Amino acid sequence: MLLSIATVCLSGTLDEKLEAIAQAGFTGVEIFENDLLTFDGSPADVRRIVADLGLKIVTFQPFRDFEGMPEPQRSRTFDRAERKFDVMQELGCDLLMICSNVAPDSLGGIDRAAEDFRELGGRAAARGFRVAYEALAWGRHVNDYRDAWEIVRRADHPSVGLVLDTFHTFARKTDLKPIRAIPKDRIFLVQVADAPQLDMDYLSWSRHFRCLPGQGDFALGDFMASLQATGFDGLLSLEIFNDRFRAGSTRAVAVDGHRSLLFMLDELRQRTGQAIPEVPVLPGRVACRGVEFVEFAVDDAFQPGFETLLRGLGFRRSGVHRSKAVTRWSQGGINFVLNAEKEGFAHSFAVAHGPSVCAMALRVDDADAAMTRAGALLDQSYRGRIGPGELEIPALRGLGGSLLYFVDEKRASLWETDFAPAADDAPPAGLTRIDHVQQSMQYEEMLTWLLFYASLLDVHKSPVQDVLDPGGIVHSQVVQTADGALRLVLNASQSQRTMSARFLDGILGSGVQHIALATDDIFATVERLKAGGVDLLPIPENYYEDLEAKGLALEEIERMRGANILYDRDGSAEYWQVYTKSLADGFFFEIVERLDYQGFGAANAPIRLAAQTRFARKPQHL
Ligand code: MG
Ligand code: MG
């Protein structure tokens, strides 16, 4: 299988794109004509750059409105094709991609189109070229790969082949089964794209919302299984038109692209049990058993107040690092690590972002296997300084430059090896575990982190939810394990005025904005928090008036009102939430109690965001 990407996927100039594509480890590249037209150099220059980078140009595209034209347009179309062949000759590319005709004056008819392709195949062959035909979902006469294949079949020329494109196939919900009957040597190119399921016209959907495999809703696994049944082992290329990618980092999107293909092909291998030539075999997706700890980078100004807050929340200082200015704070199954070192990773992080979450450790079965999978998926590993006798905890670069650690049974002894126990008998507040961690990020990078988590961990993703913030819309997507041991909420907004965006400004980057901690009795926990002097986010009265509609007893509502607790119900499942006031940078804790409830209180999010916005506008001495 030759893995490739189309230049149209990336931002930047053509030479920047090519370099990023080579760096990301692709073998092939599809050159989009527009990238060539806007490039300040000749096709021969491009050929040289591509060769120097060790890449291969697999396709030149697109050639439009070719088949089924009446004369005199038909002759002109063939002349146009010859000029494309001239460019291909200079480029050193042998495959021209032709998409189905959308011209109003084009004529239908399978045989007419086949006749055109037979003639073009002859002309291409004379110059050592091939042509490949793709059915656009919005093609005038041909919009189904089965018709395109019939035309290719009837053209009956070895230099004429078929393009399969997952977007055009899924957009029209075309049956995948007939793919299995296509001879593999007649499929010249397979273009892969995912997309969210949207109800809109095919062209706009395709031009703006395509995304990488694993980021959208298409059943690409079903498509790939059908393709594999043909024995296909040729060109597999990403062709993604996406506004966010065009605004994003050229290099990051190229790496994401390669990662998405490796992930998709690994899933295919696991599904069918058949190895894929030239594609590495990865250890399985990592089963996450929970969050072992969250690490905060703190400084002298921040630490005392934060420790007071932790104590108020029922945490006790349970360990002191043997060689570093690092302490462990615990309650139930929750561990927080406060890192006040004056050098090293956490320190640099605190300098760059202010006090904030600098790392998160996931409990896994085999940390080394997790790192092997991550490495194969092109994730970036991190090695820090280790003191004598200390455990090395494997780590990856995560969101906003933070670290993602893996801790297995063997490494869970870090609490004994690296920390001396501390005597602290502060009373707990009934908090048992980390329920979820919410990370805020730039809108452009949301798909990156979605793919990062989904490809590495054994998690599933929820559909995107749009949440109303007083300053704009926040897009929210959840990745979580089936048993809820890990729940990550990814938030981003395009507006600069949402709480999510303000947090990014505050810490100069993306990161953990809130951590939700679980309790089995939220009312008792709130009593403890109040006694501990924790400031809870006040919830407006109107919210509680509205709760009566949910059929709650008045005294129940009064109890919630008195405790600033938000409530949601889904059938017989119930959910209670309460928030601490935000710290100066916008970070906060949430306390939740779940009764068979699977969601995150989305209905309450606008209430919470409005309350936080009101509070944030007040002077900070509050
Ligand atoms: Mg295509
Ligand atoms: Mg939450």
Side-chain angles (χ1 to χ4, degrees):
M1 200 82 85
L2 196 158
L3 303 188
S4 161
I5 182 171
T7 54
V8 74
C9 305
L10 306 176
S11 62
T13 57
L14 182 56
D15 45 341
E16 287 165 352
K17 295 179 191 216
L18 292 171
E19 197 178 324
I21 289 166
Q23 290 236 336
F26 284 98
T27 313
V29 57
E30 287 186 68
I31 301 283
F32 252 69
E33 185 169 36
N34 213 42
D35 281 314
L36 188 63
L37 296 177
T38 55
F39 179 63
D40 186 21
S42 68
D45 293 333
V46 175
R47 177 187 197 147
R48 223 167 10 250
I49 294 170
V50 166
D52 288 347
L53 289 167
L55 287 171
K56 176 178 158 52
I57 298 177
V58 296
T59 314
F60 181 56
Q61 74 134 315
F63 188 60
R64 300 185 196 280
D65 299 335
F66 163 70
E67 80 284 14
M69 297 306 277
E71 288 294 0
Q73 292 97 315
R74 184 176 185 277
S75 301
R76 285 207 294 270
T77 305
F78 276 87
D79 292 346
R80 208 154 50 81
E82 291 287 354
R83 289 200 293 277
K84 301 296 173 197
F85 290 156
D86 295 341
V87 176
M88 286 165 61
Q89 194 146 1
E90 263 200 272
L91 274 176
C93 162
D94 80 333
L95 183 64
L96 180 65
M97 204 208 85
I98 300 173
C99 41
S100 58
N101 205 326
V102 301
D105 50 353
S106 65
L107 305 172
I110 296 274
D111 284 321
R112 184 195 317 271
E115 184 53 46
D116 288 345
F117 270 102
R118 189 178 310 124
E119 182 176 339
L120 188 66
R123 293 197 191 199
R127 303 181 63 164
F129 296 148
R130 298 172 304 145
V131 298
Y133 183 45
E134 172 190 64
L136 294 175
W138 54 90
R140 180 163 291 266
H141 304 287
V142 175
N143 50 42
D144 182 319
Y145 76 85
R146 293 168 293 193
D147 294 337
W149 164 232
E150 185 57 21
I151 288 166
V152 167
R153 203 182 63 78
R154 292 191 191 192
D156 194 23
H157 193 288
S159 296
V160 177
L162 181 68
V163 179
L164 291 174
D165 180 305
T166 60
F167 180 86
H168 299 300
T169 306
F170 282 107
R172 284 188 168 266
K173 301 187 170 67
T174 315
D175 185 9
L176 300 174
K177 215 179 294 158
I179 292 174
R180 295 171 181 262
I182 303 174
K184 66 170 182 178
D185 57 322
R186 307 312 313 280
I187 306 171
F188 284 3
L189 172 66
V190 176
Q191 293 180 319
V192 190
D194 203 341
Q197 199 58 55
L198 299 171
D199 192 13
M200 66 192 302
D201 72 280
Y202 299 131
L203 183 60
S204 308
W205 187 13
S206 173
R207 290 282 163 82
H208 302 286
F209 295 97
R210 287 185 180 216
C211 57
L212 296 170
Q215 293 176 334
D217 299 329
F218 288 164
L220 291 179
D222 294 347
F223 177 93
M224 291 305 296
S226 299
L227 181 67
Q228 194 180 45
T230 70
F232 179 82
D233 59 357
L235 275 175
L236 191 69
S237 191
L238 292 169
E239 190 197 40
I240 319 286
F241 310 86
N242 182 301
D243 299 346
R244 284 196 253 185
F245 293 177
R246 301 300 296 246
S249 149
T250 314
R251 279 170 186 243
V253 174
V255 172
D256 284 356
H258 196 184
R259 175 179 298 126
S260 74
L261 285 180
L262 293 170
F263 175 40
M264 182 184 77
L265 293 171
D266 192 58
E267 293 286 291
L268 174 66
R269 181 186 59 78
Q270 299 209 17
R271 172 180 172 148
T272 64
Q274 291 175 44
I276 298 155
E278 295 155 83
V279 175
V281 174
L282 315 186
R285 286 203 286 165
V286 180
C288 179
R289 308 300 176 188
V291 178
E292 181 67 26
F293 66 84
V294 174
E295 181 172 347
F296 293 83
V298 299
D299 58 23
D300 295 343
F302 178 81
Q303 189 165 6
F306 192 60
E307 290 189 348
T308 303
L309 174 60
L310 289 183
R311 268 187 209 288
L313 288 166
F315 284 83
R316 65 190 180 89
R317 198 175 67 146
S318 58
V320 177
H321 199 279
R322 295 184 195 278
S323 64
K324 294 177 182 166
V326 173
T327 49
R328 173 194 187 189
W329 292 73
S330 309
Q331 181 175 187
I334 310 163
N335 292 301
F336 291 144
V337 168
L338 269 54
N339 191 326
E341 281 281 282
K342 298 289 184 245
E343 55 181 35
F345 171 77
H347 177 69
S348 326
F349 198 88
V351 168
H353 304 289
S356 47
V357 172
C358 64
M360 186 162 67
L362 303 185
R363 210 176 308 134
V364 300
D365 296 333
D366 182 345
D368 297 319
M371 288 301 285
T372 305
R373 179 171 175 90
L377 286 168
L378 314 173
D379 298 337
Q380 215 186 329
S381 62
Y382 172 85
R383 283 179 75 100
R385 186 177 56 88
I386 319 271
E390 287 171 18
L391 273 178
E392 175 168 14
I393 305 181
L396 296 176
R397 283 283 182 184
L399 176 71
S402 67
L403 298 184
L404 188 68
Y405 290 112
F406 295 108
V407 177
D408 53 20
E409 198 67 35
K410 195 165 67 188
R411 283 150 176 116
S413 65
L414 84 113
W415 301 122
E416 285 80 50
T417 53
D418 294 11
F419 289 82
D424 185 342
D425 51 9
L431 302 180
T432 56
R433 57 185 294 274
I434 290 179
D435 183 89
H436 61 274
V437 174
Q438 181 258 308
Q439 299 183 313
S440 291
M441 59 202 72
Q442 302 288 350
Y443 182 64
E444 288 73 26
E445 60 180 351
M446 197 164 167
L447 288 172
T448 289
W449 295 104
L450 179 72
L451 179 65
F452 171 80
Y453 292 122
S455 59
L456 181 60
L457 306 174
D458 186 11
V459 289
H460 60 269
K461 60 177 199 282
S462 71
V464 179
Q465 278 201 315
D466 291 342
V467 178
L468 273 179
D469 178 292
I473 302 277
V474 175
H475 307 283
S476 187
Q477 194 158 21
V478 177
V479 287
Q480 59 184 335
T481 57
D483 62 359
L486 178 70
R487 299 189 184 100
L488 295 172
V489 181
L490 315 184
N491 283 358
S493 71
Q494 286 165 291
S495 159
Q496 296 306 304
R497 298 187 301 118
T498 58
M499 291 304 287
S500 170
R502 289 195 213 185
F503 171 76
L504 300 187
D505 282 351
I507 71 160
L508 304 174
S510 305
V512 173
Q513 186 168 9
H514 88 259
I515 300 176
L517 307 169
T519 172
D520 294 331
D521 183 347
I522 197 162
F523 291 98
T525 294
V526 167
E527 284 308 309
R528 278 283 305 113
L529 266 45
K530 283 183 178 167
V534 176
D535 267 342
L536 298 177
L537 181 71
I539 302 301
E541 291 289 315
N542 291 344
Y543 173 76
Y544 295 98
E545 310 292 321
D546 201 44
L547 268 192
E548 286 177 40
K550 295 211 187 223
L552 287 175
L554 275 178
E555 68 219 55
E556 213 29 38
I557 297 174
E558 281 315 306
R559 270 184 96 195
M560 290 185 205
R561 189 201 308 267
N564 287 302
I565 287 173
L566 298 167
Y567 174 80
D568 193 27
R569 171 180 276 173
D570 183 6
S572 62
E574 293 181 284
Y575 192 54
W576 295 264
Q577 311 166 268
V578 69
Y579 295 90
T580 68
K581 282 186 182 171
S582 306
L583 305 181
D585 66 8
F587 175 87
F588 57 95
F589 288 106
E590 176 184 8
I591 315 294
V592 305
E593 181 180 346
R594 291 179 185 271
L595 200 73
D596 301 325
Y597 182 91
Q598 298 305 318
F600 296 83
N604 291 329
I607 310 288
R608 184 257 295 175
L609 287 162
Q612 286 176 325
T613 304
R614 253 192 312 278
F615 175 66
R617 284 190 189 130
K618 289 185 181 165
Q620 281 301 318
H621 66 263
L622 287 173

